[in-house]
Amino acid sequence: MGPLAAGSAVTVMGLGHPHWAAVAATVPLVGSTLAAQLARAAHRLAGTLVGCLLALSLLAAHPPAAVLVLAIGALQVATELLVTRHYGIAVICITPLALLLTELGSPAPVDALIGGRLDKSLLGVSAAVAILLATRIRGPRGPS
């Protein structure tokens, strides 16, 4: 429900990149306990913030396409090596990877690209956390 709500909200608002919000809303749903789910939400937000700063430092220099392709390759390798160890650290690589791929395919103002990633991630994680907390507060249903 979280990914659908987040992606739909972005689509209705006409903000673009609804998949960024949907993916961010999916991440906190993984975990066997509420504490684990909230930790994943925090990892997603912190990793996205640091990853956006890394992307900003790369994109602010307006590198040629060849440099972007090399950076994309390096980030992909780093993501694959890190994702099974610690998701939060892997997001530091995943975020600039997505942003560099987006920039390579459809150049846009760097501040709009970075801001868009941050706001979609915040919206997606917020939607998932709200749903997680609402379903916990309601409690399990069963015979009385």
Side-chain angles (χ1 to χ4, degrees), residues 121-144:
S121 294
L122 181 58
L123 190 150
V125 169
S126 297
V129 168
I131 289 168
L132 288 170
L133 294 176
T135 57
R136 293 299 194 276
I137 291 169
R138 204 177 56 199
R141 293 185 179 178
S144 333

Side-chain angles (χ1 to χ4, degrees), residues 20 47-59 68 71-72 74-76 78-79 89-104 113-114 117:
W20 286 350
T48 297
L49 179 60
V50 174
C52 281
L53 292 173
L54 178 58
L56 180 61
S57 69
L58 291 168
L59 292 172
L68 288 178
I72 288 166
L75 289 164
Q76 181 65 45
T79 297
I89 296 171
V91 174
I92 294 171
C93 297
I94 293 167
T95 298
L97 175 61
L99 292 170
L100 294 182
L101 285 166
T102 301
E103 177 65 17
L104 191 61
L113 186 64
I114 302 291
R117 182 63 177 223

